Amino acid sequence: MSNEPEQTTEPARRGTETPRHGRQKRRAGVVFPAIAGVLTMAVLLSGGYAAYAYNQFSGGVTIVNAITGKKDVKDDVDGTAQNILLVGDDHRPENATPEQMAELSTTSDGGATNTDTMIVLHISADGSQATMISFPRDSYVDIPDVGKGKLNSAFYYGTLNGGGDTGGAKMLIKTIENLSGLQIDHYVRVSLLGFYQVVKELGPVEVCLNQAAQDKDSGVDLPAGKSTLNAKEALSFVRQRKGLPNGDLDRNVRQQYFLSQEARKVTSAGTLLNPVKMGNILKAVGGSIQTDTNLLDLASQMRNLRPANIQSATIPTLGTPTIYVNGSALSIVEVDTVGLPAFVQGLVGEPAAYAKAGRAQPANTSVTVLNGSGVEGAATTAGQVLTSRGFQVAPAGSSETTKVTQVQYPAGQESQAKAIAAAVPGAVAVRTSAVSGVTLVLGTDGKTAKAATQPSAAASTPASGSGSGSSGSGSKPSKQATKEPTAKSTDVHNYGTEGTCIN
């Protein structure tokens, strides 16, 4: 089996060792990491048995200093909500026999450690709702101090020059924070073996497919309809890539669905009230987990969470093209990096400061218009419309293609962003540190600036903002929702209900 590395558009500057995560490794495996999140929830919910089970569990858990520094309150888009990065790698047991490898439906990887599954578990401030946000392993992204590369290589580059697992975790966290705009509060990493052992202890789990699935590389062979999977079959199920229409993107769905179904099983009375089963589960997985925190503390943040309140999402993408890097073909997932902040905000809700802000007057609002729609001249045309409405418009520019038209703004310019959003019906206002001033980014959804119409009494009561970010007094503050919104994207699903089937 080849150990040729996948390519980056710039040479890595963190070391000279080559990463062992080439495309030929695909069949080597993907682990489903978020079982760790389910387990921490189970520890808490198991009541009187929690202390006994946790003492067995915690002895084998490795603590890594993955989260450093204070939280940046100014650029924190989701307030007191928590974001836990759940990572799965395909690390095999040391000195595993061929029979053990066969049980895992895999082969030896030569010592490689790939972060093949990355999910941010976003937990609402009151702990009652959660969203699993999947980041495909083939996402072609900016890796700090490295250049463009696949997301699953970020951990490797962080391990170089003595960085080890802690350096790998920090590099991956930084990459995902830069990409998503979310701040990561905690980190949990689970190995291939850990997944297998937990599922084995939990016992058979039922899944439902709308159509039959076969993939000799992962080992999956399931009919349409309901199937009851043992641990080996479950591992094959979450690892399947070939035979799925959207490859890695559909594999994310497999993982999200399986976690939701396992969450239902873990939180059932038959599991939680059985001290022997709980003890065996926690003992089995303890040695396969790395985290930055005490998992019992982490579990307490999910005390109100139930499987039916866990939704699943995958970051927005623009396709799965094959690109050429240094003359070599590379199949990637192209991420809608411009639209990603809007997508995240659709999951976590708009910042309170924006909801409370009044609307600035056009004369006090400066804006730059960027064309991410692919339509020639769209930004110039939109800029002319905004100028006619009294806005201060900078020369038009271009942006990477994005699906969603957005009004991007930095913290402190909420009033000006509201003024532009009112002039571009359907645009999503998004706070981001990526811009220094209000920026209208036109997307492929066709939304653009509209000419002014005769104002009605209910249409506007402009704030007296001076362009400095004052919230103004002309608009009545909006009442902040007590719960996070339900995302409208078709990419968001709830797989936690009984009888749900997937493709």
Side-chain angles (χ1 to χ4, degrees), residues 274-309:
N274 185 328
V276 175
K277 181 178 285 289
M278 280 300 303
N280 288 342
I281 291 171
L282 296 173
K283 185 177 180 181
V285 76
S288 302
I289 286 183
Q290 291 184 347
T291 183
D292 70 295
T293 187
N294 181 313
L295 289 181
L296 192 58
D297 292 339
L298 197 60
S300 67
Q301 298 173 24
M302 297 182 274
R303 59 190 177 276
N304 299 319
L305 185 62
R306 296 297 180 269
N309 293 335

Side-chain angles (χ1 to χ4, degrees), residues 207-286:
V207 299
C208 182
L209 295 177
N210 292 321
Q211 53 195 15
Q214 290 87 31
D215 177 13
K216 65 179 182 179
D217 285 346
S218 69
V220 71
D221 184 6
L222 298 173
K226 294 181 179 179
S227 296
T228 301
L229 310 184
N230 60 28
K232 180 178 180 180
E233 292 166 332
L235 189 58
S236 296
F237 179 79
V238 299
R239 290 177 56 227
Q240 183 184 3
R241 176 181 65 91
K242 294 181 179 178
L244 299 176
N246 298 306
D248 285 335
L249 299 180
D250 284 342
R251 182 166 55 181
N252 288 332
V253 173
R254 287 279 199 273
Q255 297 165 356
Q256 294 163 354
Y257 173 79
F258 191 86
L259 171 62
S260 298
Q261 295 301 311
E262 281 286 48
R264 290 179 58 247
K265 184 162 188 173
V266 170
T267 55
S268 69
T271 299
L272 293 180
L273 300 181
N274 185 328
V276 175
K277 181 178 285 289
M278 280 300 303
N280 288 342
I281 291 171
L282 296 173
K283 185 177 180 181
V285 76

Side-chain angles (χ1 to χ4, degrees), residues 115-238:
T115 55
D116 280 337
T117 304
M118 290 145 284
I119 296 175
V120 172
L121 181 62
H122 172 79
I123 305 172
S124 62
D126 64 1
S128 66
Q129 297 174 296
T131 302
M132 293 184 289
I133 309 173
S134 292
F135 291 74
R137 55 155 280 168
D138 284 348
S139 299
Y140 205 55
V141 301
D142 289 313
I143 301 173
D145 301 322
V146 174
K148 281 278 191 178
K150 289 190 177 183
L151 181 59
N152 75 324
S153 67
F155 184 94
Y156 163 78
Y157 285 113
T159 66
L160 299 180
N161 300 326
D165 287 348
T166 298
K170 288 182 177 180
M171 178 66 83
L172 180 58
I173 289 169
K174 187 175 181 181
T175 302
I176 287 182
E177 286 184 333
N178 291 348
L179 181 64
S180 67
L182 291 170
Q183 293 189 37
I184 301 301
D185 300 291
H186 294 294
Y187 169 84
V188 180
R189 176 182 169 212
V190 184
S191 73
L192 180 77
L193 179 62
F195 170 86
Y196 175 80
Q197 290 175 323
V198 169
V199 177
K200 188 173 181 179
E201 291 295 338
L202 282 174
V205 63
E206 187 177 271
V207 299
C208 182
L209 295 177
N210 292 321
Q211 53 195 15
Q214 290 87 31
D215 177 13
K216 65 179 182 179
D217 285 346
S218 69
V220 71
D221 184 6
L222 298 173
K226 294 181 179 179
S227 296
T228 301
L229 310 184
N230 60 28
K232 180 178 180 180
E233 292 166 332
L235 189 58
S236 296
F237 179 79
V238 299

